[in-house]
Amino acid sequence: DGGITQSPKYLFRKEGQNVTLSCEQNLNHDAMYWYRQDPGQGLRLIYYSQIVNDFQKGDIAEGYSVSREKKESFPLTVTSAQKNPTAFYLCATTGQAYTEAFFGQGTRLTVV
Amino acid sequence: AQSVTQPDIHITVSEGASLELRCNYSYGATPYLFWYVQSPGQGLQLLLKYFSGDTLVQGIKGFEAEFKRSQSSFNLRKPSVHWSDAAEYFCAVGAFSGGYNKLIFGAGTRLAVHP
């Protein structure tokens, strides 16, 4: 099936740990995005990437890092510098400019 | 700066009643506009989109939206709401900035449907 796969669906992190969220797509889309969703705040853009080996900070990049070594993959690392990482994280892709975004099913990260 | 405002955080309607969810945007050029729906714990599903042409666009699940440039609005409507429409709805604008394209989302409107 064509689509976007995010894993894991649920993730628990201890204080001071780095964790990596996976996002894989087989839609052959160029652009990939990471959003953070908190209740009442909608979706806020963390990082985005238009091509392999290039990415840009979004509105709330502090405490996060990404890589784009392959077109299909755009992993997000939540570092210990992110002080409030508990949230729902969504990965998305777009094909050509301004076409619709396709979303994964999300990863819920909880700090324990 | 580009932005999207959804003035209503929560809306409750009775099943069978009509629905209008408001969306206002701020964008310097011709906007590309979207409405998405999200069920709890799930990703977002596209309801409809506007790129150009007819300002009234039809989407899935019986939804439609009207682009009004003079009001910078892109309101979502449905003539008769079903209980299964209870979800969160997001309006978004496609923005081009610094050589990159990105989607900017509103804060969302949570819809509750009473039987």
Side-chain angles (χ1 to χ4, degrees), chain A residues 64-96:
Chain A
Y64 299 97
S65 65
V66 293
S67 62
R68 187 83 187 276
E69 298 177 359
K70 301 185 300 181
K71 186 175 183 178
E72 301 80 16
S73 179
F74 191 41
L76 173 74
T77 297
V78 184
T79 75
S80 57
Q82 171 51 240
K83 297 309 178 187
N84 184 24
T86 295
F88 191 54
Y89 292 86
L90 287 161
C91 178
T93 70
T94 59
Q96 300 171 7

Side-chain angles (χ1 to χ4, degrees), chain A residues 9 33 35 37 40-43 45 48 50 54 56 59 88 90 94 97-105 108, chain B residues 27 32 34 36 38 41-44 46 49 51 88 90 94-97 100-108:
Chain A
K9 188 171 177 65
Y33 309 78
Y35 289 91
Q37 186 176 20
Q41 296 195 52
L43 279 70
L45 184 62
Y48 56 110
Q50 299 275 137
D54 190 45
Q56 298 293 313
D59 301 317
F88 191 54
L90 287 161
T94 59
Y98 299 119
T99 56
E100 67 184 272
F102 293 82
F103 284 84
Q105 291 301 294
R108 184 163 300 280
Chain B
Y27 187 60
Y32 296 82
F34 308 83
Y36 286 85
Q38 184 184 35
Q42 300 296 314
L44 275 68
L46 181 72
K49 59 190 175 186
F51 288 167
E88 190 154 22
F90 293 94
F96 185 75
S97 175
Y100 285 85
N101 301 309
K102 59 181 181 179
L103 283 177
I104 298 170
F105 286 83

